[in-house]
Amino acid sequence: MTKLPGQVLDRVPRVFCAYVLPKLATVLFALSFLVLILPLAYLLALSFTDTDTLTMNGSFVGLRNFQRVVQDDTFWLAGWRGVLFAAATAAAQVALGLFLAVKLTRPFPGRRLVFALLLLPYAVPIVAMSAIWRWMLDGQHGIISYFMRVLHVFGANTDILNSPTTALAGVIAANIWYFYPFVLLFIAARLSQIPAAQFELAETEGVPRRRQFWTITLPHLAKTLGFLFVLRFLWMFNKFDSVWLLTRGGPIGTTENIPVLVYRECFHALRLGRAAATVVLAVLFLAILAITYRLSSPLRAVVFRRGLCWCRRIAAIARSRIRIRSQLRTTSFALWMRRQVRPSPSLLFAAVVLVFPLLWTLVSAFRPLDDLFQQPPSLIPRYATILNFSELVAKTDFVRQLLVSCLVATVSAILSPAAALGCVYVLRRAPPLVSRLARPLSLSLYAVPPLASVIPLFVLFARFHMTDSLLGLSLAILTISLPFNIWFLLAQLRSLDAHYEEAAILDGVSAYRRFVDIVLPAIRPSIVACCLFTFLLAFNDYLFAVVFLHSADRLTVSVGMANFVEASAVHWGHLTSAVVAVSTPMIILLLLGYRFLGERFVGVSVASSVGGNK
Amino acid sequence: MKNKIVIPVAALLVVLIYLLSSLGPWGSRGGGKNVLRLLSTETDPASVEIMKRLVTEFERTHPNVTIATEFLGFEAMYPKITAGIAAGAPPDIVGITNEETLALASRGQLEAVSSLIDAIGRDDFFVGALGEYEGEDYYVPYAMSILNLYYRTDLFEQHSLEPPKTWADMLRVCERLTLDHDGDGTVDLYGTAIPLGNGQATVNFFCTLLFSNEGHILAPDGSLVLGKGENRLRVLETIRFIAALARFSPPGSLGYEWKDLTAQFYAKTVASTYYAGRVIGLTERHAPGTPIGAAAYPYAKHPASATFSDGWAIVAGSVNRALAGELIQHLVSGQGYIDFLHTVPLHMTPPRRSVGSDPRFLANDFVQRYAHIKRVIDATANDAVNILAESGTMQPKAADIIKSQVIEEMLQRVVSGDATAEDALDDAVAKLKDILGE
């Protein structure tokens, strides 16, 4: 039979998708792991040398660096402080993210905007917000300190970030604020994958909200919350910029964690070898923690099963009564819908508190400079002005930097999840041992601090003339985003119902088609979450941009904004207006992202219930 | 259906990657010209604007040269240079302080620029602006930071106070000016702001006071004398004075760096502060109409000021050394240089006497309005000591001490009551010996 031209053309993309893409995915997988592993190997090699940071010269010294590091009390103190800081911030971020995500499942007018506003802290460059947090927490003229004085929360003359007793608490509070949106984003994605029928049934049975949360939501989220806690712990343990910019590890070293110690070793003491040894020991510690987490899975499984058991019981009871009470169900659902149009007061309170730093920045951006430091601080400006914005546009390269950042972030947001999907596709078909090792391995790579991998990566990229290139920067950002994306997508796949795929296998559907037609649609919210995460990460990146780029016309907005915070002065007008200017497109992006992620996520119960009624 | 998504996304990606790569190093930039990379840490928008103008002027007179200028904060400096050296692609010219200069020069990472200094006129420079290492100069200073006591003259007049000259005067004045106006137990105005955070400001402050008490950190032979003999007593006196002064400084002083000192001053929460001329311009912008005076920082035995300079250095391995030298000369001469200094007037103090007295420099409105402060700055500049060269030549160990944060932690422990001055000093000496390998 002769093929029509249209059919021939139709086959080209199919052949491409069925044969070329899987091969491409394999290559991507190999390249990704190579790019991720090389800096680690380089770092390990450096740790056995006495390499000087500024000359890069050094000789083999065996285990001497490790010996010196473990004999130093500072290392153990920094480690302990790092554990405390990471555990506190990770736990609080997960708790806050969970609270907000669950509260946001209820529909109310302006929900999208609240969702976007709540994600915003993650989008604003840390270097800018750190200066603003320092200002707000200043003991003499900071607005938060002023409120605390009025409310008698702290003593009259307390300066939170600069007091040895409160500095760590201040740093923890700021870091919870910076990063809770990350958790919110991923819990939101996971919530959207909970079968809506369970909420519907519980609702028709009159199961109270609180009980629904404990018996349905939490058991479903248990694994994700565990993952997120571990991830946030690893990430916060490696956190450098948000600690350094707030306190530089002081006062009296009370906020010094391992990355700050590494930075000081590397760029102050100029002992790159010893800094590398410190990183290697820290990564080992994190790897032990990750393995412990992995080994504790039977215990976690028991908790998880118990939760699910409750969930099933409710579903069973509901199923037996659903027909009898169909009329009642309609009535109760209508009541429930009416109840939902009001946002939860606790959500509104939390949103106001969490958005306050940005609100303060917004108000400050429209203030004249001589009104910024009035005593006592006031939320109402003497008069509003747009001078700060006009100066920002006229006297700086802000607009170009913003466009460059958007470009880099967009490419990264496509490249990284695409590469992660390629890796996931390959790993699902790999031998069981490789597949089993993939998750802990990607988790271990996530444990390598970016500060430690930036120099080896730069050297590597320089060999291929990819420094001072935005494409090179996007690829470098892959090294920090890819491990997480692989790990998260693998975790999501594990929680998928295997029956559909098994049925497809019985029908003789190819692996590629199963992946595209079954797996991808099922994890779509997670992919969107990965895209958003990577976009925000790339947009916010400072370290890689500052090292990899050097032409003035290629600087990103976070580097540009960092220049508003000089050693001797802060350009408040430029800084606050830049934060507002950056936030505006971010809100639009997050509203768009919400269309793909949020609609299903927040409307999960309602949509299904309405569908059920029909 | 899937292709409907895959193909547009792939197309978008291709377009974006094309855009990115067109801005990459294989683009048309340079175009066969000599490319000089210049890294500046002067990120004030006004300074950036003038720097760009100076660079354009140079490119106009050198048609075969392209200058790639980069403006980055101090924090980004070391990662940037380190990565560049490691990859064999460092910038050609860097604008750095004498502290960084010493760290790089002692590791052979900078080219000597003594001939440039001689060509400009060695004798014209203030002694404190220059710093030789092993008989060679490694940076051409373009600005000095002259540190003094800045105070609100209205408050001093209101309380009939004279600017303090000695440590005793300073304590007395600060005590008078630390006030709780409304009697609610919260201090509304502090006598002064002092830097005790982790950073250069604290070390500068400590050294200024220590030098005025005839104390030293390093001996002329480069050995550590911080805790030795009679010098130990002078160091202890200095630490105790700082602890006493801290009572009249806001409690946040334990974390204060340069920018916090200025912020406290223009927010009007302190009556005086330790800093350089930038505080004037910032106060004009944030608290217009605030009258400001300046005086040499109070001393124990004789006036002293530890200073640091910003300068241009040529990185070893630069393929265009001669051209780099020409560019540096262009950056520190003529009307353009004076305009550059005026971008942060009276803060970027000219390191050369001839520039400071140049009619073009003096013609500036800001400089004329604050002529009384300029006189104080000039007097201090004459006697200022390069913080890294207490005994004449720069000591590499001094840079290591400044970077170590040991001095800051020693002061923080005493001020916060965590340790006595003696214990804190002993611990600091032990740590420094370990760092310096003594």
Side-chain angles (χ1 to χ4, degrees):
Chain A
M1 197 172 119
T2 315
K3 282 177 186 164
L4 295 170
Q7 284 176 305
V8 174
L9 283 175
D10 191 39
R11 281 188 67 91
V12 176
R14 277 192 196 173
V15 168
F16 175 76
C17 291
Y19 298 102
V20 181
L21 268 186
K23 302 288 179 290
L24 198 65
T26 314
V27 173
L28 258 180
F29 171 72
L31 276 177
S32 306
F33 270 77
L34 197 68
V35 167
L36 294 173
I37 298 258
L38 272 178
L40 202 60
Y42 188 78
L43 202 68
L44 192 64
L46 278 177
S47 69
F48 295 105
T49 67
D50 59 356
T51 303
D52 181 278
T53 307
L54 286 179
T55 58
M56 297 303 285
N57 295 329
S59 51
F60 182 75
V61 293
L63 291 171
R64 201 174 72 196
N65 284 332
F66 293 95
Q67 195 185 353
R68 296 295 295 271
V69 170
V70 295
Q71 281 172 351
D72 188 355
D73 288 346
T74 316
F75 170 75
W76 296 105
L77 280 171
W80 163 242
R81 223 172 275 124
V83 169
L84 190 69
F85 166 74
T89 44
Q93 284 166 24
V94 170
L96 189 59
L98 175 66
F99 167 78
L100 295 171
V102 169
K103 291 288 179 188
L104 276 165
T105 55
R106 303 174 185 188
F108 58 86
R111 193 178 47 180
R112 283 185 187 193
L113 188 64
V114 172
F115 182 74
L117 284 174
L118 285 172
L119 286 181
L120 210 50
Y122 199 54
V124 183
I126 281 178
V127 66
M129 282 319 294
S130 295
I132 289 167
W133 268 95
R134 268 189 77 86
W135 175 26
M136 292 193 304
L137 290 173
D138 184 281
Q140 304 312 305
H141 47 74
I143 183 127
I144 294 180
S145 294
Y146 172 72
F147 284 143
M148 287 186 161
R149 272 203 302 276
V150 170
L151 299 169
H152 301 287
V153 176
F154 282 115
N157 292 326
T158 302
D159 191 306
I160 296 167
L161 286 177
N162 296 324
S163 159
T165 48
T166 54
L168 189 59
V171 173
I172 287 172
N175 276 276
I176 292 168
W177 185 83
Y178 292 142
F179 301 110
Y180 79 83
F182 171 93
V183 180
L184 168 61
L185 184 66
F186 287 98
I187 294 179
R190 184 66 189 92
L191 265 178
S192 70
Q193 290 164 4
I194 299 177
Q198 296 186 6
F199 290 102
E200 179 199 350
L201 293 171
E203 197 65 40
T204 53
E205 278 306 306
V207 177
R209 275 282 146 67
R210 197 165 290 176
R211 201 165 175 79
Q212 282 182 38
F213 172 77
W214 290 110
T215 53
I216 305 175
T217 311
L218 207 54
H220 277 291
L221 289 179
K223 274 192 170 180
T224 304
L225 295 181
F227 295 155
L228 285 170
F229 176 79
V230 172
L231 270 180
R232 290 321 298 168
F233 182 92
L234 296 179
W235 194 252
M236 297 316 294
F237 190 85
N238 285 329
K239 209 73 205 122
F240 167 72
D241 48 5
S242 58
V243 178
W244 180 256
L245 291 167
L246 285 170
T247 60
R248 289 171 176 262
I252 332 180
T254 46
T255 56
E256 185 173 80
N257 61 358
I258 293 286
V260 169
L261 183 67
V262 169
Y263 181 83
R264 283 179 53 192
E265 277 291 345
C266 187
F267 297 115
H268 286 183
L270 305 175
R271 293 184 291 224
L272 185 56
R274 203 190 284 190
T278 311
V279 174
V280 169
L281 286 173
V283 170
L284 269 177
F285 165 72
L286 292 177
I288 291 168
L289 275 188
I291 290 166
T292 312
Y293 175 77
R294 186 99 183 96
L295 291 177
S296 70
S297 61
L299 183 69
R300 284 184 284 116
V302 170
V303 178
F304 181 68
R305 268 201 301 275
R306 281 216 156 164
L308 274 185
C309 206
W310 272 101
C311 173
R312 282 198 196 102
R313 259 188 231 167
I314 291 170
I317 297 165
R319 230 174 275 128
S320 66
R321 297 182 186 173
I322 196 161
R323 288 188 192 84
I324 306 165
R325 299 179 62 180
S326 60
Q327 186 59 43
L328 271 175
R329 193 185 80 163
T330 312
T331 315
S332 62
F333 179 71
L335 279 172
W336 179 64
M337 283 294 283
R338 273 205 293 279
R339 273 211 320 264
Q340 300 313 301
V341 294
R342 284 196 304 274
S344 150
S346 53
L347 172 70
L348 284 187
F349 175 74
V352 169
V353 170
L354 292 168
V355 172
F356 180 77
L358 291 169
L359 179 70
W360 176 245
T361 311
L362 176 74
V363 173
S364 303
F366 289 98
R367 275 180 200 270
L369 279 180
D370 58 1
D371 190 38
L372 280 176
F373 290 88
Q374 58 168 290
Q375 295 297 324
S378 164
L379 268 175
I380 316 289
R382 244 181 331 119
Y383 63 92
T385 173
I386 57 160
L387 189 68
N388 293 328
F389 291 91
S390 55
E391 277 198 0
L392 179 74
V393 173
K395 292 189 176 176
T396 70
D397 290 333
F398 178 78
V399 175
R400 181 167 49 191
Q401 289 163 356
L402 186 62
L403 291 174
V404 168
S405 282
C406 287
L407 194 63
V408 171
T410 308
V411 171
S412 303
I414 298 172
L415 273 183
S416 183
L421 278 172
C423 294
V424 166
Y425 173 78
V426 172
L427 287 169
R428 279 172 68 82
R429 304 180 69 202
L433 182 68
V434 177
S435 181
R436 212 174 301 148
L437 279 174
R439 284 180 62 223
L441 187 63
S442 48
L443 192 62
S444 310
L445 292 170
Y446 194 69
V448 181
L451 188 65
S453 61
V454 68
I455 291 175
L457 270 178
F458 184 81
V459 174
L460 183 72
F461 276 50
R463 299 264 183 275
F464 296 98
H465 303 285
M466 288 195 73
T467 55
D468 200 24
S469 143
L470 298 183
L471 183 59
L473 178 63
S474 288
L475 292 175
I477 288 168
L478 265 186
T479 60
I480 41 174
S481 60
L482 192 58
F484 171 76
N485 285 339
I486 294 173
W487 193 75
F488 184 74
L489 290 177
L490 279 175
Q492 295 310 300
L493 285 179
R494 278 165 65 90
S495 62
L496 273 187
D497 195 338
H499 293 104
Y500 295 110
E501 250 196 302
E502 284 165 10
I505 291 169
L506 289 175
D507 286 346
V509 178
S510 71
Y512 168 72
R513 287 250 65 95
R514 289 201 306 274
F515 188 74
V516 170
D517 293 337
I518 299 171
V519 175
L520 280 189
I523 58 167
R524 194 190 71 169
S526 301
I527 297 169
V528 175
C530 286
C531 289
L532 276 178
F533 157 72
T534 312
F535 186 95
L536 298 176
L537 186 81
F539 191 87
N540 206 340
D541 168 70
Y542 172 73
L543 188 64
F544 282 88
V546 91
V547 171
F548 275 67
L549 304 175
H550 49 253
S551 297
D553 57 354
R554 267 168 239 168
L555 291 189
T556 58
V557 78
S558 57
V559 179
M561 284 170 82
N563 289 349
F564 299 151
V565 185
E566 288 188 72
S568 54
V570 180
H571 297 269
W572 292 111
H574 293 156
L575 190 75
T576 51
S577 52
V579 169
V580 173
V582 161
S583 302
T584 311
M586 279 298 146
I587 289 181
I588 295 167
L589 171 84
L590 294 169
L591 285 173
L592 285 173
Y594 178 93
R595 268 176 70 90
F596 296 99
L597 168 76
E599 284 300 349
R600 214 183 139 204
F601 138 61
V602 291
V604 58
S605 310
V606 182
S608 309
S609 302
V610 172
N613 280 342
K614 283 173 188 171
Chain B
M1 179 64 191
K2 294 294 169 294
N3 294 339
K4 279 184 188 172
I5 299 165
V6 171
I7 290 169
V9 169
L12 176 69
L13 192 59
V14 167
V15 170
L16 289 172
I17 287 177
Y18 171 75
L19 277 173
L20 289 189
S21 56
S22 65
L23 287 170
W26 48 78
S28 60
R29 293 171 53 81
K33 292 179 177 181
N34 283 321
V35 179
L36 268 184
R37 275 180 61 202
L38 184 145
L39 177 60
S40 169
T41 49
E42 299 297 342
T43 56
D44 187 289
S47 308
V48 169
E49 196 183 326
I50 299 290
M51 272 296 292
K52 284 181 177 172
R53 198 186 84 199
L54 287 169
V55 161
T56 310
E57 282 171 11
F58 187 81
E59 284 178 330
R60 211 175 293 140
T61 54
H62 295 74
N64 288 322
V65 179
T66 297
I67 316 288
T69 319
E70 196 176 356
F71 299 95
L72 288 178
F74 273 105
E75 290 297 341
M77 193 73 175
Y78 269 132
K80 187 84 192 173
I81 293 177
T82 305
I85 289 170
D92 297 276
I93 301 171
V94 285
I96 45 179
T97 65
N98 40 11
E99 178 190 319
E100 275 105 21
T101 304
L102 186 53
L104 284 161
S106 63
R107 287 166 171 81
Q109 296 297 328
L110 293 181
E111 296 289 338
V113 290
S114 303
S115 56
L116 271 177
I117 297 281
D118 290 332
I120 293 165
R122 185 176 294 276
D123 295 339
D124 194 19
F125 284 95
F126 288 109
V127 175
L130 292 175
E132 287 184 358
Y133 170 67
E134 293 186 345
E136 292 280 2
D137 296 283
Y138 286 92
Y139 67 109
V140 178
Y142 63 79
M144 282 173 90
S145 288
I146 301 300
L147 302 150
N148 283 305
L149 179 76
Y150 287 83
Y151 60 93
R152 283 176 55 188
T153 51
D154 55 336
L155 291 172
F156 274 63
E157 280 167 16
Q158 196 184 322
H159 293 85
S160 309
L161 292 167
E162 287 294 313
K165 287 185 176 163
T166 63
W167 286 2
D169 292 344
M170 181 69 179
L171 289 174
R172 188 174 47 79
V173 164
C174 288
E175 191 170 11
R176 285 280 303 279
L177 290 171
T178 301
L179 302 166
D180 174 8
H181 289 122
D182 49 13
D184 65 350
T186 306
V187 176
D188 304 306
L189 178 76
Y190 284 89
T192 194
I194 59 171
L196 293 171
N198 292 344
Q200 188 197 38
T202 306
V203 184
N204 253 90
F205 181 62
F206 175 71
C207 287
T208 293
L209 295 173
L210 182 64
F211 296 169
S212 85
N213 198 25
E214 294 179 351
H216 295 282
I217 294 176
L218 293 171
D221 65 356
S223 61
L224 186 73
V225 290
L226 196 65
K228 284 183 184 166
E230 208 157 300
N231 191 56
R232 177 184 165 84
L233 296 176
R234 290 176 192 145
V235 174
L236 286 172
E237 281 170 6
T238 309
I239 296 172
R240 289 193 189 109
F241 170 68
I242 291 173
L245 197 56
R247 287 187 291 131
F248 309 116
S249 180
S253 306
L254 286 180
Y256 284 178
E257 301 162 43
W258 297 123
K259 57 177 174 284
D260 303 297
L261 299 178
T262 55
Q264 297 303 335
F265 193 79
Y266 60 65
K268 295 187 172 182
T269 54
V270 295
S272 67
T273 186
Y274 167 76
Y275 198 36
R278 184 162 217 160
V279 74
I280 313 166
L282 289 169
T283 307
E284 267 203 351
R285 294 181 73 191
H286 294 89
T290 307
I292 304 173
Y297 207 81
Y299 56 86
K301 293 190 170 72
H302 58 77
S305 177
T307 186
F308 62 93
S309 305
D310 297 296
W312 299 113
I314 302 174
V315 179
S318 165
V319 287
N320 292 305
R321 280 174 225 176
L323 210 53
E326 275 185 56
L327 177 58
I328 290 177
Q329 268 193 312
H330 173 71
L331 294 176
V332 296
S333 56
Q335 180 66 45
Y337 174 49
I338 288 172
D339 290 345
F340 179 65
L341 292 173
H342 283 157
T343 58
V344 195
L346 296 185
H347 180 80
M348 292 210 273
T349 307
R352 279 145 56 198
R353 291 180 183 86
S354 64
V355 178
S357 57
D358 190 313
R360 291 172 298 177
F361 182 79
L362 297 172
N364 178 272
D365 170 56
F366 190 95
V367 175
Q368 284 176 352
R369 267 188 293 126
Y370 292 98
H372 60 294
I373 291 182
K374 186 181 181 302
R375 281 193 291 278
V376 175
I377 292 172
D378 287 346
T380 311
N382 264 322
D383 302 325
V385 178
N386 181 340
I387 190 168
L388 299 154
E390 304 174 48
S391 49
T393 55
M394 293 212 288
Q395 304 279 2
K397 284 181 179 176
D400 294 340
I401 292 171
I402 290 176
K403 287 278 184 193
S404 68
Q405 290 188 8
V406 171
I407 300 287
E408 292 96 310
E409 286 195 11
M410 174 182 77
L411 296 176
Q412 288 166 6
R413 289 183 65 199
V414 178
V415 170
S416 66
D418 189 50
T420 62
E422 286 85 356
D423 289 347
L425 177 60
D426 290 341
D427 290 348
V429 169
K431 280 185 190 170
L432 286 176
K433 279 184 175 173
D434 179 47
I435 290 166
L436 303 176
E438 285 192 2

